[in-house]
Amino acid sequence: METVYFGLGALTVMVVLLITVVVIGVVKLKNVLEELRQEREVRREVIGNLNRDIENVYRNISDEVSGLHRQIDSRYDQLRNYIDKK
């Protein structure tokens, strides 16, 4: 009878240890998943900011190039008018 009680006690200890290990593993896994989610959000935010910055630079360059084209056209018209007058 003592052997049965000892076996049941040992089995109970092993089950408690197993449950403890599983619970600790689940908690750690949950923490890792939360960190991954946060990293994903940060990455999305960084990529969004980068895309917005690239679009702003592109827009600025396009505006500058358009301004240069207008200046070139204006100078060309002035030169043509000057040549036509002579």
Side-chain angles (χ1 to χ4, degrees):
M1 199 65 166
E2 289 178 17
T3 313
V4 172
Y5 287 135
F6 179 76
L8 288 175
L11 183 62
T12 302
V13 168
M14 291 178 78
V15 168
V16 168
L17 287 174
L18 180 64
I19 290 173
T20 303
V21 167
V22 168
V23 168
I24 289 172
V26 168
V27 169
K28 286 185 177 183
L29 182 62
K30 182 181 174 188
N31 290 340
V32 167
L33 290 175
E34 179 65 24
E35 288 176 13
L36 286 174
R37 186 187 63 76
Q38 289 174 353
E39 286 293 323
R40 198 174 314 136
E41 287 178 16
V42 167
R43 192 173 312 125
R44 281 187 195 141
E45 183 178 328
V46 167
I47 288 172
N49 290 340
L50 183 61
N51 285 338
R52 188 171 47 254
D53 291 344
I54 289 172
E55 288 173 1
N56 287 338
V57 168
Y58 178 78
R59 192 175 311 113
N60 289 340
I61 290 173
S62 294
D63 291 344
E64 289 294 324
V65 169
S66 295
L68 290 174
H69 282 260
R70 282 191 299 274
Q71 286 179 356
I72 290 171
D73 288 341
S74 173
R75 297 288 169 102
Y76 178 76
D77 289 340
Q78 288 174 357
L79 181 62
R80 195 175 60 202
N81 288 338
Y82 177 74
I83 291 174
D84 287 343
K85 287 180 181 179
K86 293 204 172 205

